Amino acid sequence: MTKYLIAPSILSADFARLGEDVEAVLNAGADWVHFDVMDNHYVPNLSFGPLVCQALRDYGIDAPIDVHLMIEPVDRIVPEFAAAGASLISFHPEATRHVDRSLQLIKEQGLQCGLVLNPATPLNVLDHLMGQLDLILLMSVNPGYGGQSFIPYVIDKIALLREMIDASGADIRLEVDGGVKVNNIGELARAGADTFVAGSAIFNEPDYEKVISHMRDQISANV
Ligand code: DX5
Ligand code: ZN
């Protein structure tokens, strides 16, 4: 049976009290910590890096940390994130010269690896790579900011990718990121996603437990 995972994007958390806020969202039922790394180069925004990942581990956060790199280049920072306690690292294929080399580098560090596809990036970049990946992240907004609206055509892309993953027989998570809310998460699960990033939809609500349980109810009602 598929395990559906909720991965709050801490880009929308309270940076001034990040440890407490991440602990609160995990206590409210979240599964993973989604960690958005932005460099003001690959994307037009700047967020946080390995020092902050390490600080969360030092604070006592032991949930999986799902590092989403929106940086260019990719390779240099991978060992730093491994040392800082990342569990999984995913990156955008456009952001590295040698996609296979970057994937191998992540695996050599003992971490799980993923590729991230922007809304307009075609699924055929995954050809030849299905056997190498632990996760494929479909962006449902253009990367760079939290709080944007879901781009509807990504639903069809989720369904196509679900077919590709099932046909490959590989054990790959299908994660969706951008504009995920209580009112669309059911449809995304029905299309074939199993891992859901949500930033503003969770952190902008006063009661994290309530919104996460509403999300789980919507998933269960649609699969
Ligand atoms: C966007 C990031 C997302 C973002 C999601 O570039 O990758 O993880 O924070 O935020 P919401 O859920 O608010 O769209
Ligand atoms: Zn993200």
Side-chain angles (χ1 to χ4, degrees):
M1 236 182 87
T2 310
K3 170 124 174 65
Y4 293 91
L5 303 179
I6 309 272
S9 161
I10 62 169
L11 192 64
S12 292
D14 182 349
F15 290 178
R17 34 180 290 279
L18 190 61
E20 275 169 61
D21 213 12
V22 172
E23 189 171 46
V25 86
L26 290 167
N27 288 340
D31 300 293
W32 287 3
V33 175
H34 184 78
F35 194 97
D36 285 308
V37 185
M38 301 176 173
D39 67 350
N40 186 38
H41 173 70
Y42 179 68
V43 290
N45 198 358
L46 194 60
S47 62
F48 37 62
L51 287 175
V52 173
C53 185
Q54 182 68 59
L56 289 175
R57 288 302 189 209
D58 292 346
Y59 184 81
I61 300 300
D62 57 10
I65 298 185
D66 169 31
V67 173
H68 173 192
L69 296 180
M70 288 163 274
I71 62 165
E72 188 179 356
V74 168
D75 295 1
R76 199 199 59 78
I77 206 89
V78 165
E80 286 187 38
F81 266 107
S87 310
L88 184 151
I89 296 179
S90 58
F91 63 89
H92 292 247
E94 302 88 348
T96 188
R97 289 269 175 97
H98 308 289
V99 171
D100 184 84
R101 175 178 287 149
S102 300
L103 291 171
Q104 298 315 320
L105 182 63
I106 295 168
K107 290 204 261 203
E108 279 162 18
Q109 301 288 319
L111 307 187
Q112 293 199 302
C113 65
L115 275 184
V116 191
L117 275 53
N118 285 329
T121 301
L123 291 172
N124 67 14
V125 302
L126 300 166
D127 288 354
H128 321 291
L129 293 174
M130 299 298 273
Q132 316 253 20
L133 301 170
D134 298 295
L135 172 137
I136 299 164
L137 171 49
L138 293 186
M139 292 304 301
S140 38
V141 296
N142 289 297
Y145 300 96
Q148 303 180 82
S149 300
F150 185 88
I151 297 175
Y153 70 73
V154 176
I155 301 256
D156 290 343
K157 204 172 169 191
I158 294 171
L160 287 168
L161 178 55
R162 169 48 59 200
E163 285 175 17
M164 281 170 65
I165 292 174
D166 289 351
S168 77
D171 184 14
I172 304 175
R173 287 217 155 257
L174 198 175
E175 185 173 42
V176 57
D177 182 4
V180 176
K181 315 259 174 232
V182 172
N183 69 11
N184 63 7
I185 199 167
E187 192 181 4
L188 305 179
R190 194 167 356 114
D194 56 34
T195 305
F196 305 89
V197 177
S200 52
I202 294 175
F203 286 105
N204 292 0
E205 290 294 322
D207 187 341
Y208 301 161
E209 197 168 340
K210 192 165 146 196
V211 56
I212 290 171
S213 88
H214 283 163
M215 286 176 164
R216 292 202 195 278
D217 292 345
Q218 288 298 316
I219 294 168
S220 317
N222 279 277
V223 295

